[in-house]
Amino acid sequence: MNILVAISRVPDTATKIIIGPDGKSIDEKGVKFIINPYDEFALEEGLRLKEKFGGTVVTITVGPEASKEVIRSALAMGADRAVLIKTDGFFDSFFTAKNIANYAKQFNPDIIFFGRQSVDFDSLSVPSMVAEFLGIPAITIVSKLTIDGKKVIAERDIIGGKEVVETTLPCVISAQKGLNEPRYPKLPDILKAKNKPIEEIEPQPVAPKIEILGMEVPLRSRKNKIVGDSDEEIAEIVRLLHEEAKII
Amino acid sequence: MKKILVYLESADNKLKRVSYELITAGKQLASKTSAELVGVAFNASPDALYTAKEYGLTKSYRVTSPLFSTYSPSLYSKAIVQLIRQNGFDLMLFPAHTYGFELASRISADLEASYASDCIALDFVDGNLIVKKPVYAGKSQINVKLLGEIKVCSLRPNVFTATPSQTDELVIEEFAPEVTETDRKELVVNTLKNEGKLDVLEADIVVSGGRGIKGPENYHLIETLANLLGGAVGASRAVVDAGWRPHSEQVGQTGKTVSPTLYVACGISGAIQHLAGMSSSKYILAINKDKDAPIFKVADYGIVGDLFTVIPKLIENIKKYKE
Ligand SMILES: Cc1cc2nc3c(=O)[nH]c(=O)nc-3n(C[C@H](O)[C@H](O)[C@H](O)COP(=O)(O)OP(=O)(O)OC[C@H]3O[C@@H](n4cnc5c(N)ncnc54)[C@H](O)[C@@H]3O)c2cc1C
Ligand SMILES: Nc1ncnc2c1ncn2[C@@H]1O[C@H](COP(=O)(O)O)[C@@H](O)[C@H]1O
């Protein structure tokens, strides 16, 4: 089985966001970058498929040279090799999807795993875009996956419940939390990962589809009326919910 | 902008609330640019579609072929792309939820269009479509200009207000896309509804519990408060990881992002990953026994105290208003 897993490099979820001097992006000074948390579920699922059916797991990342650090952690988890489509500066989802699809056309994956969303721009768009470029099915936000021959059965979250969706390989799957429990690499795996190849590919230039005009920290002034737990104080809060917020 | 297409979804012989929100947002843009606003719906009854008159929609396409009886992203997007090409639409609006994300992404890839997802504001300035979109889990937001001729946006539910504006006539036109069975690449074989439960994504009020609730046996407090307010029950990750509540109720970075009118956080500390999922709520009420809990920093209203005594008192007081 040829298994492709898209890995994006994102700031640690606990990062305090400070806007950089260009006013359009974050100040990366002191920011710790990690594998996008959802992509760990994607990679784990790919590794389990390989363990079951045999094959090769290749990760693909669109990003700067510095992405190699998170790529090494993906290799330590067990991917066989990695591809880095090296890009500096701003690029949009269309660019990412186009370039991942280009690579997929030559690698011919049976299945491509993504995370549900990249926790930087939270777009939830790249998996479906890649599927469309390749003309293959996609099931996104998957929390349970079964593969039987060419048949794929996936459970995924929708508003108010879940649905079970069937399709066939080759296909795109995007991983939701709960799909599996990602493994922690052990020291020998981390050492082994140092010798695994990272292939660098020049991106196909694609004209940007969007332009970021500016980034801002949302200004939300909260009333911040904090009280104690006496009967009077609680009654007062309920009165405010009624009169100010008009919810009761 | 010449022609704007809004994706409409029906439920219980009405349209979903987010569809009315999309119509209002679409109308505002249309009036700024003298564009035409048209809807498209799959499997909606005419009666459901006619409710859009109350929000000022004057025309909608309706796709009824049995092939479309269940949702498939590859099939639906192919049909919508045909509709766009035949009629020259240049802006498409989708709801930012599972289906909408899939359709908007596929359609923008197919048409090589400019796409902005999960928008919380739209504006037309000097001939350009400018949108606002939260990034880094809502810790910041970007203003984005969509560059191409053809544009696609998905809009976050509950953020845009649906404003009634009655029209006399809504023209419904049947649309029969040229597709076959093989275009349906994904097949929904089963839908498991959380029976009788309101989803946090659709609720106007969300009441969530955190580790402070101590155990699943105490969750009835959260449920009673939620029911009384007509809201949905949510949870922090600590509660979901402990197995007290299902993941479908988790609010936060690795759960759902909600923006209800009121969010009530009970026994939740307010970790940055939890705030990511609820900080765009209109009003936030926090109940926590620790006066220094970070949740109070983002709260409109806060009660410092033991939730086991505070929630029953809250319920008692709210009942007085309900009567
Ligand atoms: C990658 C990543 C993703 C994450 N995603 C999410 C996510 O999606 N959602 C999420 O919620 N978290 C998420 N987290 C976890 C997050 O960091 C916190 O650990 C979690 O939100 C804590 O849950 P909590 O507030 O219920 O528990 P705690 O932090 O333990 O807080 C419990 C609170 O209850 C109060 N309390 C205790 N007893 C009482 C009482 N009797 N009366 C009143 N108050 C009381 C305490 O003062 C305390 O403030 C994520 C973490 C990571 C690293
Ligand atoms: N720059 C990137 N490089 C590789 N994969 C990416 C990149 N951006 C997004 N992805 C993949 O697409 C998924 C969804 O991302 P997004 O559509 O940006 O929210 C992520 O979880 C990754 O699997």
Side-chain angles (χ1 to χ4, degrees):
Chain A
M1 229 180 181
N2 276 351
I3 302 161
L4 186 62
V5 185
I7 301 284
S8 114
R9 166 188 182 261
V10 298
D12 188 295
T13 57
T15 307
K16 182 165 169 12
I17 296 294
I18 295 168
I19 303 204
D22 67 351
K24 297 178 184 184
S25 58
I26 61 165
D27 183 353
E28 296 193 356
K29 230 184 297 132
V31 172
K32 185 180 156 222
F33 282 88
I34 57 167
I35 298 189
N36 180 35
Y38 291 106
D39 299 353
E40 291 186 350
F41 303 116
L43 178 54
E44 177 63 36
E45 202 64 15
L47 295 172
R48 288 185 191 187
L49 280 192
K50 177 190 164 175
E51 282 155 12
K52 204 163 161 194
F53 300 114
T56 314
V57 176
V58 177
T59 67
I60 184 160
T61 302
V62 180
E65 171 75 20
S67 310
K68 283 184 178 165
E69 200 183 322
V70 302
I71 293 175
R72 287 284 167 217
S73 10
L75 291 170
M77 271 179 76
D80 297 294
R81 56 188 179 83
V83 172
L84 172 60
I85 299 180
K86 222 159 107 182
T87 318
D88 287 308
F90 171 74
F91 54 92
D92 56 28
S93 301
F94 189 90
F95 178 95
T96 304
K98 192 90 197 176
N99 277 288
I100 293 177
N102 282 349
Y103 180 77
K105 279 179 192 156
Q106 61 182 79
F107 178 60
N108 267 321
D110 296 286
I111 190 159
I112 314 179
F113 284 105
F114 292 86
R116 161 189 132 144
Q117 77 197 69
S118 188
V119 304
D120 42 14
F121 275 26
D122 302 308
S123 296
L124 291 103
S125 60
V126 174
S128 296
M129 285 183 174
V130 171
E132 187 65 29
F133 286 135
L134 298 173
I136 60 175
I139 312 178
T140 64
I141 322 194
V142 169
S143 52
K144 193 173 167 196
L145 183 70
T146 317
I147 298 200
D148 182 6
K150 286 249 172 261
K151 190 169 163 183
V152 178
I153 306 168
E155 208 173 280
R156 58 101 158 248
D157 294 347
I158 50 167
I159 290 184
K162 282 183 185 294
E163 65 184 17
V164 183
V165 187
E166 280 184 15
T167 190
T168 51
L169 296 177
C171 74
V172 159
I173 297 289
S174 89
Q176 164 75 313
K177 184 191 172 199
L179 179 59
N180 52 45
E181 222 18 89
R183 66 195 66 188
Y184 284 105
K186 295 186 196 69
L187 188 59
D189 304 322
I190 295 168
L191 294 175
K192 223 162 76 190
K194 291 209 162 77
N195 298 317
K196 289 183 180 173
I198 301 179
E199 182 189 351
E200 287 180 30
I201 297 184
E202 282 297 312
Q204 176 201 336
V206 184
K209 298 281 179 197
I210 60 168
E211 182 191 335
I212 297 186
L213 302 176
M215 183 181 281
E216 62 205 22
V217 172
L219 276 181
R220 215 169 247 290
S221 55
R222 295 283 176 190
K223 297 196 187 312
N224 225 256
K225 182 159 177 66
I226 314 295
V227 302
D229 61 356
S230 71
D231 290 357
E232 297 72 37
E233 284 165 306
I234 292 175
E236 168 68 2
I237 291 292
V238 173
R239 189 187 66 79
L240 290 172
L241 287 175
H242 173 68
E243 285 174 12
E244 275 183 7
K246 301 192 170 43
I247 11 222
I248 329 170
Chain B
M1 223 74 64
K2 292 188 293 286
K3 289 185 93 174
I4 305 176
L5 185 69
V6 279
Y7 180 75
L8 306 175
E9 293 168 297
S10 64
D12 309 324
N13 232 24
K14 287 189 309 229
L15 297 182
K16 290 195 173 168
R17 182 166 77 179
V18 68
S19 300
Y20 303 121
E21 293 169 5
L22 259 57
I23 292 171
T24 303
K27 259 190 76 110
Q28 279 163 3
L29 280 183
S31 69
K32 273 200 173 176
T33 61
S34 328
E36 187 189 0
L37 180 74
V38 184
V40 60
F42 293 83
N43 307 309
S45 69
D47 282 350
L49 269 178
Y50 282 131
T51 63
K53 278 200 290 197
E54 293 160 38
Y55 294 86
L57 191 69
T58 53
K59 180 172 175 182
S60 182
Y61 291 98
R62 178 167 168 262
V63 185
T64 48
S65 146
L67 202 55
F68 291 90
S69 59
T70 58
Y71 169 79
S72 149
S74 50
L75 177 73
Y76 276 38
S77 60
K78 185 163 183 183
I80 297 172
V81 164
Q82 285 180 13
L83 185 70
I84 295 168
R85 289 218 165 103
Q86 286 170 23
N87 295 280
F89 287 104
D90 52 5
L91 172 64
M92 275 59 69
L93 303 180
F94 288 89
H97 61 43
T98 308
Y99 292 179
F101 281 128
E102 292 181 336
L103 295 174
S105 308
R106 277 191 177 263
I107 288 164
S108 56
D110 198 357
L111 296 171
E112 309 230 322
S114 291
Y115 172 45
S117 82
D118 205 16
C119 303
I120 54 168
L122 305 176
D123 202 4
F124 205 73
V125 185
D126 300 333
N128 294 307
L129 179 64
I130 315 278
V131 306
K132 198 182 284 296
K133 160 182 178 33
V135 292
Y136 300 105
K139 284 184 256 177
S140 65
Q141 51 199 28
I142 49 176
N143 293 314
V144 177
K145 179 157 110 184
L146 285 84
L147 299 172
E149 281 295 304
I150 301 181
K151 305 174 177 73
V152 182
C153 298
S154 56
L155 312 194
R156 181 177 287 198
N158 271 346
V159 170
F160 296 83
T161 2
T163 315
S165 117
Q166 183 76 34
T167 52
D168 297 333
E169 201 186 12
L170 169 66
V171 179
I172 297 180
E173 201 171 301
E174 300 291 327
F175 177 65
E178 281 171 41
V179 291
T180 62
E181 188 65 45
T182 52
D183 292 314
R184 195 220 315 261
K185 298 198 176 90
E186 309 86 359
L187 183 65
V188 177
V189 291
N190 196 6
T191 306
L192 316 157
K193 286 258 174 246
N194 295 334
E195 277 316 327
K197 262 183 20 185
L198 188 59
D199 197 290
V200 288
L201 286 172
E202 287 188 311
D204 205 35
I205 295 180
V206 175
V207 184
S208 291
R211 208 195 309 268
I213 198 82
K214 303 257 161 28
E217 67 281 6
N218 300 323
Y219 230 76
H220 64 91
L221 278 172
I222 305 289
E223 283 164 334
T224 311
L225 183 56
N227 287 340
L228 182 64
L229 294 169
V233 171
S236 75
R237 169 161 155 183
V239 161
V240 172
D241 282 356
W244 301 346
R245 301 302 295 183
H247 181 249
S248 60
E249 291 178 4
Q250 184 178 319
V251 172
Q253 182 123 34
T254 41
K256 289 174 174 166
T257 303
V258 300
S259 29
T261 306
L262 175 67
Y263 187 87
V264 187
C266 311
I268 293 177
S269 59
I272 197 157
Q273 296 94 347
H274 188 80
L275 301 184
M278 43 66 78
S279 60
S280 65
S281 304
K282 195 141 179 232
Y283 290 95
I284 294 170
L285 164 64
I287 303 160
N288 198 303
K289 68 175 182 191
D290 172 9
K291 70 170 187 7
D292 297 321
I295 191 77
F296 286 128
K297 293 215 172 64
V298 302
D300 294 286
Y301 312 112
I303 303 173
V304 181
D306 184 343
L307 66 88
F308 293 99
T309 57
V310 172
I311 294 180
K313 282 189 199 166
L314 260 181
I315 290 173
E316 219 177 281
N317 274 284
I318 293 169
K319 275 188 181 153
K320 285 184 202 150
Y321 281 93
K322 293 264 168 187
E323 273 156 16

